Amino acid sequence: MQYVGKIDKELFRCVSENITTDEVIITDERVQHIKERHPGDYERYFEYLTRIVENPDYILEANKPDSALLLKHIEDNGKSYKLILRLKTSHDPEGFKNSVITFQKVEDRRYTRYTKSEKVLYKRE
């Protein structure tokens, strides 16, 4: 398990009203999933995880409860990213943390399609 960063709980209330922690982690199992499903993305772009989690451009509704799809364009390298974040709520067992489910680089066209086809819960101005 690796520590990723902290979310702004107030910002993420658009996803769930009862978020119980601001800490975000990624498990070894999820790292392995990312490495298998999106070869090279974890190694090349892991350094951006904290920025994505702590300052997303968009928070979109995900297809699972208490989860969000985060989008972020990083000016440093001109690339865009998608991250699925599972939020820890009062309904979850003690000891759970907000957790990265998956993460990958996305092409600009797909990034734009997400912002138009998914329900936008938050957009950074």
Side-chain angles (χ1 to χ4, degrees), residues 34-81:
I34 294 165
K35 287 180 175 181
E36 289 171 5
R37 298 287 179 97
H38 315 290
D41 280 4
Y42 181 81
E43 294 80 3
R44 278 184 291 223
Y45 308 122
F46 176 77
E47 67 181 285
Y48 300 116
L49 276 182
T50 301
R51 278 204 265 180
I52 297 166
V53 165
E54 292 184 351
N55 194 19
D57 292 340
Y58 287 90
I59 300 173
L60 307 175
E61 186 174 74
N63 60 359
K64 302 259 190 214
D66 302 322
S67 297
L69 190 160
L70 279 54
L71 296 175
K72 177 80 176 167
H73 180 77
I74 304 285
E75 293 296 327
D76 297 2
N77 69 2
K79 297 188 184 334
S80 298
Y81 302 91

